[in-house]
Amino acid sequence: MIVRNERVSPRLPLSSSPEVASTNKPVAAEPARPFARDSFEGASAVQRTAQVAAAPTGDHGKLMREYLTGARPPPADFEQVMGYKPFQLQTKHGARMQDPHGSASAPGKIGPDKEFDPAAKTHDYGYDLLRYYDRKGTPLSGDARKAADALFREDLFHYANDQKGFGDRLKFKAWAQIYATAVELNSRVQGYGPP
């Protein structure tokens, strides 16, 4: 299918300013054009919105990592759709975006859930990004969930390796392996789609 757009009228040069424009000949205002209708004649409002807020194309694993590390800001309407505004936490290992309502949700609160809470809040934000794009009608690929899980694993092991004593490092590495493996198995069971 070939799509042809209407020609766009030329814009004034960037260097033109009101002072320069006043010294030149007066420019006749271009008549206002009606907005071009979209091709979604029979589409619902949700479908039109989903098209506007479509997931960026390309490497969704890289995209997820950019969101979680603060290299990319949250989508413009994320707060409206998901009900919260993520915040940034600076760690020894870089910036992490966080879900303020997230937490390490280990069954029965076993293990170091408080110690792993910062990693869990970043992971929860990642899963909410998966839900966000799914609600918009343009779900991210499985690579996005794998990237969120991989950063979670990385952050858990960073915490474990940052401990001073050998015993503490060993204990937290064991727990990091348990938490990360549980999350990864759950993702596999859910087909790496939105949770």
Side-chain angles (χ1 to χ4, degrees), residues 1-4 39:
M1 172 187 346
I2 298 175
V3 178
R4 291 197 169 97
S39 60

Side-chain angles (χ1 to χ4, degrees), residues 33-53:
R33 291 190 211 171
F35 289 102
R37 295 186 59 85
D38 62 23
S39 60
F40 299 105
E41 292 296 327
S44 70
V46 171
Q47 289 168 321
R48 286 191 299 268
T49 304
Q51 196 63 19
V52 171

Side-chain angles (χ1 to χ4, degrees), residues 61-82:
K62 181 180 175 200
L63 174 73
M64 178 61 77
R65 190 163 181 103
E66 288 174 355
Y67 277 132
L68 297 181
T69 59
R72 180 183 291 260
D77 62 343
F78 182 85
E79 183 176 3
Q80 178 186 2
V81 173
M82 300 307 294

